Amino acid sequence: MQPQEQLNYPGNGFSEVSSSCKNSEQLSQWVENVTKQLMTEDLPESNENNFPGNFQGEMPPVYDEVGAVAALLGDLRPRKVARKSSNESPGSVFLQHNHQHQYSDDQDDRTYNLSVQSSAKSPGPDEPGLNLLTLLLECAVAVSQDNLGEAHRILLELSQMASPYGASCAERVVAYFAKAMSSRVINSWIGVCSPLIDIKTVHAAIQVYNNIAPFIKFAHFTSNQAILEAFHRHDHRVHIIDLDIMQGLQWPALFHILATRAEGPPHVRMTGLGTSMELLAETGKQLSNFARRLGLCFEFHPVDKKCGDIVDISTLQVRTGETLAVHWLQHSLYDATGPDWKTMRLLQGLSPRVITLVEQEIAHEGSFLDRFVSSLHYYSTLFDSVGAFLPGDDPGRYQVEHCLLHREITNVLAIGGPARSGDEKLRHWRSELSRNGFVQMPMSTNSMAQAQLILNMFAPANGYSLVQGDGTLRLGWKETSLYTASAWTSLQTPFR
């Protein structure tokens, strides 16, 4: 399968590199370094070892919000930070050289000493960016304590100091996180924060992102390869359920392979779930036209519901004798599936031949500070990857940052979370699938080859990293894992 999307988009100015972010990878590395020291130094060990983080799975454990507040920032204020000397690192300025704090664990009366130190070699943003990040962390602590007045005051400061059009990656990250926490504060005050979603604007930004970064292509083609390998040569009728089909960009490439199969093309049915029947109809029309040009017998069934809201499995029109595949590309733009436990129940009822799952390595569950720390590291890395290749005034860069990354940050911090929705979010779907009747199908060498071909579209110096292990494929920036692709099969008898 050739790694190229069937729809072509305008050029992206890939040759231009932002001088303001020439050392952009320093931002995410510094954020990771500081948050790890703040949250893990001498803290009690967590039983969870699969928290989203780098390829080694290292990230801060779950911790008590109130007990860690004093240790998190103490009395630091960015406006009081002394100007660093020539041999003083940003991390050491932020942490004021070995500030020590103590807090007690209320459950077992143990006292832990949190000694936060910073390496002199720790990379990081310049002093203005450092001050912004320090103030942002203080705001997160205020929000976690429901100290909305203090949070509001800090957010007013940040609104005057950080702009999404800023020259540095740090300033842009802080600006969007401040906007997200402003939404969170409004939500806490008036009890609702559910911004309208312009799906067409989101789709347009996804097309731009598809051109400037390999993440979407990685998700599409590794999943297509796993589905192709799961379909046997003599499967004459196949059915693919896409839990959030959007524009269906990944499916023309798979259709092309199925149409040229030596045993003859199968009859293909596709069920696409989404938020708008109008957009689903347009996606179905485009896919049907493409399948017709290939001579592929194709049916499209739109369902304008979240899979977790489907009570009757017959809504998906799964027929006897079909080989079933389910695809799920997870994102944080909006809640595409509904309650996790209901989604799991639906997958168990479907018992598909293959489930292709692409997960973001970011925490959606846990306390606000859990999600804040995880998302700050995750999105700092994504901003680094975008800012490394597009100048600050590039309209495509702003479109991606504003319409995609900003929306995801807001959804994770201001809207998401079990306290907001009333539903617990699963930490890792991979581990949950293995506990609920599904068996992992290791990603093949062909899937790895597909992913490598995609990365070859981007210059080797771009910093993207690809790791194969534990039956999965992980794509990241530098040493931070961002997306993980895996495939699963069910050993259960379908309910249908």
Side-chain angles (χ1 to χ4, degrees), residues 188-216:
S188 299
W189 263 327
I190 67 176
V192 60
C193 178
S194 183
L196 297 176
I197 300 174
D198 186 343
I199 296 296
K200 291 185 178 180
T201 300
V202 170
H203 288 177
I206 288 174
Q207 292 182 356
V208 174
Y209 199 30
N210 193 37
N211 281 329
I212 67 175
F215 301 116
I216 297 176

PDB file of all heavy atoms in Angstrom, residues 188-216:
ATOM      1  N   SER A 188     -16.649  26.604  35.921  1.00  0.00           N
ATOM      2  CA  SER A 188     -16.837  26.429  37.364  1.00  0.00           C
ATOM      3  C   SER A 188     -17.786  27.469  37.943  1.00  0.00           C
ATOM      4  O   SER A 188     -18.536  27.184  38.877  1.00  0.00           O
ATOM      5  CB  SER A 188     -15.478  26.516  38.064  1.00  0.00           C
ATOM      6  OG  SER A 188     -14.611  25.500  37.611  1.00  0.00           O
ATOM      7  N   TRP A 189     -17.770  28.666  37.377  1.00  0.00           N
ATOM      8  CA  TRP A 189     -18.625  29.736  37.896  1.00  0.00           C
ATOM      9  C   TRP A 189     -20.092  29.561  37.494  1.00  0.00           C
ATOM     10  O   TRP A 189     -20.993  29.652  38.318  1.00  0.00           O
ATOM     11  CB  TRP A 189     -18.123  31.086  37.408  1.00  0.00           C
ATOM     12  CG  TRP A 189     -17.259  31.804  38.404  1.00  0.00           C
ATOM     13  CD1 TRP A 189     -17.365  31.763  39.775  1.00  0.00           C
ATOM     14  CD2 TRP A 189     -16.154  32.658  38.106  1.00  0.00           C
ATOM     15  NE1 TRP A 189     -16.383  32.541  40.346  1.00  0.00           N
ATOM     16  CE2 TRP A 189     -15.631  33.113  39.349  1.00  0.00           C
ATOM     17  CE3 TRP A 189     -15.562  33.098  36.927  1.00  0.00           C
ATOM     18  CZ2 TRP A 189     -14.545  33.969  39.434  1.00  0.00           C
ATOM     19  CZ3 TRP A 189     -14.476  33.959  37.018  1.00  0.00           C
ATOM     20  CH2 TRP A 189     -13.972  34.395  38.262  1.00  0.00           C
ATOM     21  N   ILE A 190     -20.310  29.303  36.212  1.00  0.00           N
ATOM     22  CA  ILE A 190     -21.692  29.262  35.725  1.00  0.00           C
ATOM     23  C   ILE A 190     -22.181  27.844  35.465  1.00  0.00           C
ATOM     24  O   ILE A 190     -23.346  27.637  35.148  1.00  0.00           O
ATOM     25  CB  ILE A 190     -21.857  30.112  34.447  1.00  0.00           C
ATOM     26  CG1 ILE A 190     -21.076  29.505  33.266  1.00  0.00           C
ATOM     27  CG2 ILE A 190     -21.420  31.533  34.694  1.00  0.00           C
ATOM     28  CD1 ILE A 190     -21.278  30.257  31.969  1.00  0.00           C
ATOM     29  N   GLY A 191     -21.281  26.867  35.566  1.00  0.00           N
ATOM     30  CA  GLY A 191     -21.698  25.475  35.490  1.00  0.00           C
ATOM     31  C   GLY A 191     -21.812  24.901  34.100  1.00  0.00           C
ATOM     32  O   GLY A 191     -22.293  23.783  33.945  1.00  0.00           O
ATOM     33  N   VAL A 192     -21.396  25.640  33.090  1.00  0.00           N
ATOM     34  CA  VAL A 192     -21.480  25.088  31.740  1.00  0.00           C
ATOM     35  C   VAL A 192     -20.386  25.705  30.881  1.00  0.00           C
ATOM     36  O   VAL A 192     -20.073  26.884  30.995  1.00  0.00           O
ATOM     37  CB  VAL A 192     -22.867  25.352  31.103  1.00  0.00           C
ATOM     38  CG1 VAL A 192     -23.129  26.849  31.004  1.00  0.00           C
ATOM     39  CG2 VAL A 192     -22.973  24.703  29.723  1.00  0.00           C
ATOM     40  N   CYS A 193     -19.767  24.877  30.077  1.00  0.00           N
ATOM     41  CA  CYS A 193     -18.804  25.361  29.097  1.00  0.00           C
ATOM     42  C   CYS A 193     -18.767  24.341  27.969  1.00  0.00           C
ATOM     43  O   CYS A 193     -18.058  23.356  28.036  1.00  0.00           O
ATOM     44  CB  CYS A 193     -17.412  25.530  29.696  1.00  0.00           C
ATOM     45  SG  CYS A 193     -16.170  26.067  28.489  1.00  0.00           S
ATOM     46  N   SER A 194     -19.601  24.542  26.976  1.00  0.00           N
ATOM     47  CA  SER A 194     -19.683  23.612  25.855  1.00  0.00           C
ATOM     48  C   SER A 194     -19.660  24.399  24.562  1.00  0.00           C
ATOM     49  O   SER A 194     -20.696  24.676  23.953  1.00  0.00           O
ATOM     50  CB  SER A 194     -20.972  22.777  25.950  1.00  0.00           C
ATOM     51  OG  SER A 194     -21.023  21.822  24.909  1.00  0.00           O
ATOM     52  N   PRO A 195     -18.465  24.796  24.119  1.00  0.00           N
ATOM     53  CA  PRO A 195     -18.367  25.639  22.925  1.00  0.00           C
ATOM     54  C   PRO A 195     -18.858  24.921  21.675  1.00  0.00           C
ATOM     55  O   PRO A 195     -18.745  23.706  21.543  1.00  0.00           O
ATOM     56  CB  PRO A 195     -16.859  25.928  22.829  1.00  0.00           C
ATOM     57  CG  PRO A 195     -16.204  24.809  23.575  1.00  0.00           C
ATOM     58  CD  PRO A 195     -17.145  24.443  24.669  1.00  0.00           C
ATOM     59  N   LEU A 196     -19.440  25.691  20.787  1.00  0.00           N
ATOM     60  CA  LEU A 196     -19.906  25.135  19.524  1.00  0.00           C
ATOM     61  C   LEU A 196     -18.714  24.692  18.680  1.00  0.00           C
ATOM     62  O   LEU A 196     -17.652  25.301  18.710  1.00  0.00           O
ATOM     63  CB  LEU A 196     -20.733  26.170  18.762  1.00  0.00           C
ATOM     64  CG  LEU A 196     -22.029  26.631  19.442  1.00  0.00           C
ATOM     65  CD1 LEU A 196     -22.678  27.729  18.606  1.00  0.00           C
ATOM     66  CD2 LEU A 196     -22.984  25.459  19.630  1.00  0.00           C
ATOM     67  N   ILE A 197     -18.894  23.620  17.936  1.00  0.00           N
ATOM     68  CA  ILE A 197     -17.820  23.069  17.116  1.00  0.00           C
ATOM     69  C   ILE A 197     -18.156  23.292  15.651  1.00  0.00           C
ATOM     70  O   ILE A 197     -19.188  22.832  15.163  1.00  0.00           O
ATOM     71  CB  ILE A 197     -17.640  21.562  17.386  1.00  0.00           C
ATOM     72  CG1 ILE A 197     -17.286  21.320  18.852  1.00  0.00           C
ATOM     73  CG2 ILE A 197     -16.563  20.981  16.480  1.00  0.00           C
ATOM     74  CD1 ILE A 197     -17.237  19.854  19.225  1.00  0.00           C
ATOM     75  N   ASP A 198     -17.299  24.023  14.961  1.00  0.00           N
ATOM     76  CA  ASP A 198     -17.436  24.208  13.527  1.00  0.00           C
ATOM     77  C   ASP A 198     -16.671  23.069  12.849  1.00  0.00           C
ATOM     78  O   ASP A 198     -15.460  23.139  12.648  1.00  0.00           O
ATOM     79  CB  ASP A 198     -16.875  25.570  13.104  1.00  0.00           C
ATOM     80  CG  ASP A 198     -17.136  25.875  11.632  1.00  0.00           C
ATOM     81  OD1 ASP A 198     -17.454  24.938  10.877  1.00  0.00           O
ATOM     82  OD2 ASP A 198     -16.993  27.048  11.237  1.00  0.00           O
ATOM     83  N   ILE A 199     -17.388  21.993  12.526  1.00  0.00           N
ATOM     84  CA  ILE A 199     -16.750  20.790  12.016  1.00  0.00           C
ATOM     85  C   ILE A 199     -16.021  21.051  10.701  1.00  0.00           C
ATOM     86  O   ILE A 199     -14.934  20.512  10.456  1.00  0.00           O
ATOM     87  CB  ILE A 199     -17.792  19.662  11.826  1.00  0.00           C
ATOM     88  CG1 ILE A 199     -18.384  19.279  13.180  1.00  0.00           C
ATOM     89  CG2 ILE A 199     -17.156  18.452  11.172  1.00  0.00           C
ATOM     90  CD1 ILE A 199     -17.390  18.695  14.145  1.00  0.00           C
ATOM     91  N   LYS A 200     -16.576  21.908   9.854  1.00  0.00           N
ATOM     92  CA  LYS A 200     -15.927  22.188   8.577  1.00  0.00           C
ATOM     93  C   LYS A 200     -14.584  22.883   8.783  1.00  0.00           C
ATOM     94  O   LYS A 200     -13.612  22.606   8.073  1.00  0.00           O
ATOM     95  CB  LYS A 200     -16.850  23.032   7.692  1.00  0.00           C
ATOM     96  CG  LYS A 200     -18.082  22.278   7.205  1.00  0.00           C
ATOM     97  CD  LYS A 200     -18.907  23.113   6.240  1.00  0.00           C
ATOM     98  CE  LYS A 200     -20.105  22.321   5.724  1.00  0.00           C
ATOM     99  NZ  LYS A 200     -20.934  23.133   4.779  1.00  0.00           N
ATOM    100  N   THR A 201     -14.528  23.795   9.753  1.00  0.00           N
ATOM    101  CA  THR A 201     -13.260  24.458  10.073  1.00  0.00           C
ATOM    102  C   THR A 201     -12.251  23.452  10.604  1.00  0.00           C
ATOM    103  O   THR A 201     -11.061  23.482  10.256  1.00  0.00           O
ATOM    104  CB  THR A 201     -13.488  25.572  11.106  1.00  0.00           C
ATOM    105  OG1 THR A 201     -14.388  26.539  10.568  1.00  0.00           O
ATOM    106  CG2 THR A 201     -12.182  26.247  11.478  1.00  0.00           C
ATOM    107  N   VAL A 202     -12.711  22.546  11.456  1.00  0.00           N
ATOM    108  CA  VAL A 202     -11.837  21.501  11.986  1.00  0.00           C
ATOM    109  C   VAL A 202     -11.309  20.619  10.858  1.00  0.00           C
ATOM    110  O   VAL A 202     -10.121  20.302  10.807  1.00  0.00           O
ATOM    111  CB  VAL A 202     -12.591  20.657  13.032  1.00  0.00           C
ATOM    112  CG1 VAL A 202     -11.780  19.421  13.406  1.00  0.00           C
ATOM    113  CG2 VAL A 202     -12.888  21.485  14.276  1.00  0.00           C
ATOM    114  N   HIS A 203     -12.180  20.228   9.950  1.00  0.00           N
ATOM    115  CA  HIS A 203     -11.759  19.379   8.839  1.00  0.00           C
ATOM    116  C   HIS A 203     -10.729  20.075   7.962  1.00  0.00           C
ATOM    117  O   HIS A 203      -9.772  19.451   7.487  1.00  0.00           O
ATOM    118  CB  HIS A 203     -12.971  18.966   8.007  1.00  0.00           C
ATOM    119  CG  HIS A 203     -13.849  17.964   8.682  1.00  0.00           C
ATOM    120  ND1 HIS A 203     -15.029  17.497   8.135  1.00  0.00           N
ATOM    121  CD2 HIS A 203     -13.727  17.330   9.878  1.00  0.00           C
ATOM    122  CE1 HIS A 203     -15.583  16.628   8.953  1.00  0.00           C
ATOM    123  NE2 HIS A 203     -14.818  16.509  10.016  1.00  0.00           N
ATOM    124  N   ALA A 204     -10.921  21.373   7.722  1.00  0.00           N
ATOM    125  CA  ALA A 204      -9.960  22.117   6.916  1.00  0.00           C
ATOM    126  C   ALA A 204      -8.591  22.150   7.595  1.00  0.00           C
ATOM    127  O   ALA A 204      -7.552  22.004   6.946  1.00  0.00           O
ATOM    128  CB  ALA A 204     -10.461  23.531   6.657  1.00  0.00           C
ATOM    129  N   ALA A 205      -8.580  22.329   8.922  1.00  0.00           N
ATOM    130  CA  ALA A 205      -7.323  22.343   9.663  1.00  0.00           C
ATOM    131  C   ALA A 205      -6.663  20.966   9.656  1.00  0.00           C
ATOM    132  O   ALA A 205      -5.425  20.861   9.600  1.00  0.00           O
ATOM    133  CB  ALA A 205      -7.572  22.808  11.097  1.00  0.00           C
ATOM    134  N   ILE A 206      -7.466  19.909   9.696  1.00  0.00           N
ATOM    135  CA  ILE A 206      -6.918  18.553   9.633  1.00  0.00           C
ATOM    136  C   ILE A 206      -6.205  18.325   8.304  1.00  0.00           C
ATOM    137  O   ILE A 206      -5.136  17.691   8.245  1.00  0.00           O
ATOM    138  CB  ILE A 206      -8.036  17.514   9.846  1.00  0.00           C
ATOM    139  CG1 ILE A 206      -8.480  17.528  11.318  1.00  0.00           C
ATOM    140  CG2 ILE A 206      -7.575  16.118   9.442  1.00  0.00           C
ATOM    141  CD1 ILE A 206      -9.678  16.643  11.598  1.00  0.00           C
ATOM    142  N   GLN A 207      -6.769  18.847   7.221  1.00  0.00           N
ATOM    143  CA  GLN A 207      -6.122  18.708   5.921  1.00  0.00           C
ATOM    144  C   GLN A 207      -4.766  19.410   5.901  1.00  0.00           C
ATOM    145  O   GLN A 207      -3.787  18.880   5.354  1.00  0.00           O
ATOM    146  CB  GLN A 207      -7.022  19.269   4.827  1.00  0.00           C
ATOM    147  CG  GLN A 207      -8.293  18.459   4.603  1.00  0.00           C
ATOM    148  CD  GLN A 207      -9.158  19.011   3.480  1.00  0.00           C
ATOM    149  OE1 GLN A 207      -8.842  20.046   2.911  1.00  0.00           O
ATOM    150  NE2 GLN A 207     -10.242  18.321   3.193  1.00  0.00           N
ATOM    151  N   VAL A 208      -4.689  20.585   6.508  1.00  0.00           N
ATOM    152  CA  VAL A 208      -3.411  21.288   6.586  1.00  0.00           C
ATOM    153  C   VAL A 208      -2.420  20.491   7.434  1.00  0.00           C
ATOM    154  O   VAL A 208      -1.262  20.298   7.051  1.00  0.00           O
ATOM    155  CB  VAL A 208      -3.602  22.703   7.177  1.00  0.00           C
ATOM    156  CG1 VAL A 208      -2.256  23.392   7.390  1.00  0.00           C
ATOM    157  CG2 VAL A 208      -4.485  23.552   6.271  1.00  0.00           C
ATOM    158  N   TYR A 209      -2.884  20.008   8.565  1.00  0.00           N
ATOM    159  CA  TYR A 209      -2.017  19.230   9.467  1.00  0.00           C
ATOM    160  C   TYR A 209      -1.517  17.957   8.787  1.00  0.00           C
ATOM    161  O   TYR A 209      -0.389  17.518   9.019  1.00  0.00           O
ATOM    162  CB  TYR A 209      -2.798  18.899  10.730  1.00  0.00           C
ATOM    163  CG  TYR A 209      -1.941  18.522  11.918  1.00  0.00           C
ATOM    164  CD1 TYR A 209      -0.660  19.051  12.084  1.00  0.00           C
ATOM    165  CD2 TYR A 209      -2.422  17.665  12.906  1.00  0.00           C
ATOM    166  CE1 TYR A 209       0.110  18.725  13.184  1.00  0.00           C
ATOM    167  CE2 TYR A 209      -1.661  17.344  14.016  1.00  0.00           C
ATOM    168  CZ  TYR A 209      -0.392  17.870  14.143  1.00  0.00           C
ATOM    169  OH  TYR A 209       0.374  17.551  15.235  1.00  0.00           O
ATOM    170  N   ASN A 210      -2.354  17.383   7.963  1.00  0.00           N
ATOM    171  CA  ASN A 210      -1.980  16.176   7.239  1.00  0.00           C
ATOM    172  C   ASN A 210      -0.797  16.423   6.301  1.00  0.00           C
ATOM    173  O   ASN A 210      -0.056  15.508   5.966  1.00  0.00           O
ATOM    174  CB  ASN A 210      -3.179  15.665   6.436  1.00  0.00           C
ATOM    175  CG  ASN A 210      -2.971  14.262   5.915  1.00  0.00           C
ATOM    176  OD1 ASN A 210      -2.384  13.423   6.590  1.00  0.00           O
ATOM    177  ND2 ASN A 210      -3.451  13.993   4.710  1.00  0.00           N
ATOM    178  N   ASN A 211      -0.623  17.676   5.896  1.00  0.00           N
ATOM    179  CA  ASN A 211       0.475  18.018   4.996  1.00  0.00           C
ATOM    180  C   ASN A 211       1.765  18.368   5.722  1.00  0.00           C
ATOM    181  O   ASN A 211       2.848  18.209   5.169  1.00  0.00           O
ATOM    182  CB  ASN A 211       0.073  19.207   4.107  1.00  0.00           C
ATOM    183  CG  ASN A 211      -0.811  18.789   2.946  1.00  0.00           C
ATOM    184  OD1 ASN A 211      -0.708  17.686   2.441  1.00  0.00           O
ATOM    185  ND2 ASN A 211      -1.705  19.673   2.549  1.00  0.00           N
ATOM    186  N   ILE A 212       1.662  18.872   6.928  1.00  0.00           N
ATOM    187  CA  ILE A 212       2.858  19.388   7.583  1.00  0.00           C
ATOM    188  C   ILE A 212       3.412  18.447   8.652  1.00  0.00           C
ATOM    189  O   ILE A 212       4.490  18.711   9.197  1.00  0.00           O
ATOM    190  CB  ILE A 212       2.594  20.766   8.224  1.00  0.00           C
ATOM    191  CG1 ILE A 212       1.612  20.665   9.384  1.00  0.00           C
ATOM    192  CG2 ILE A 212       2.082  21.754   7.167  1.00  0.00           C
ATOM    193  CD1 ILE A 212       1.399  21.971  10.125  1.00  0.00           C
ATOM    194  N   ALA A 213       2.695  17.379   8.978  1.00  0.00           N
ATOM    195  CA  ALA A 213       3.158  16.447  10.005  1.00  0.00           C
ATOM    196  C   ALA A 213       2.711  15.033   9.620  1.00  0.00           C
ATOM    197  O   ALA A 213       1.691  14.856   8.953  1.00  0.00           O
ATOM    198  CB  ALA A 213       2.611  16.833  11.375  1.00  0.00           C
ATOM    199  N   PRO A 214       3.443  14.012  10.071  1.00  0.00           N
ATOM    200  CA  PRO A 214       3.138  12.635   9.652  1.00  0.00           C
ATOM    201  C   PRO A 214       2.109  11.920  10.517  1.00  0.00           C
ATOM    202  O   PRO A 214       1.775  10.765  10.230  1.00  0.00           O
ATOM    203  CB  PRO A 214       4.500  11.944   9.783  1.00  0.00           C
ATOM    204  CG  PRO A 214       5.149  12.644  10.925  1.00  0.00           C
ATOM    205  CD  PRO A 214       4.698  14.088  10.827  1.00  0.00           C
ATOM    206  N   PHE A 215       1.583  12.563  11.554  1.00  0.00           N
ATOM    207  CA  PHE A 215       0.781  11.843  12.535  1.00  0.00           C
ATOM    208  C   PHE A 215      -0.504  11.265  11.946  1.00  0.00           C
ATOM    209  O   PHE A 215      -0.878  10.123  12.239  1.00  0.00           O
ATOM    210  CB  PHE A 215       0.456  12.759  13.718  1.00  0.00           C
ATOM    211  CG  PHE A 215       1.673  13.290  14.411  1.00  0.00           C
ATOM    212  CD1 PHE A 215       1.947  14.646  14.408  1.00  0.00           C
ATOM    213  CD2 PHE A 215       2.559  12.437  15.043  1.00  0.00           C
ATOM    214  CE1 PHE A 215       3.078  15.155  15.043  1.00  0.00           C
ATOM    215  CE2 PHE A 215       3.696  12.923  15.679  1.00  0.00           C
ATOM    216  CZ  PHE A 215       3.958  14.289  15.672  1.00  0.00           C
ATOM    217  N   ILE A 216      -1.206  12.035  11.143  1.00  0.00           N
ATOM    218  CA  ILE A 216      -2.465  11.548  10.575  1.00  0.00           C
ATOM    219  C   ILE A 216      -2.196  10.445   9.559  1.00  0.00           C
ATOM    220  O   ILE A 216      -2.881   9.408   9.549  1.00  0.00           O
ATOM    221  CB  ILE A 216      -3.247  12.712   9.935  1.00  0.00           C
ATOM    222  CG1 ILE A 216      -3.621  13.742  11.003  1.00  0.00           C
ATOM    223  CG2 ILE A 216      -4.503  12.196   9.238  1.00  0.00           C
ATOM    224  CD1 ILE A 216      -4.306  14.984  10.462  1.00  0.00           C
TER     225      ILE A 216
END
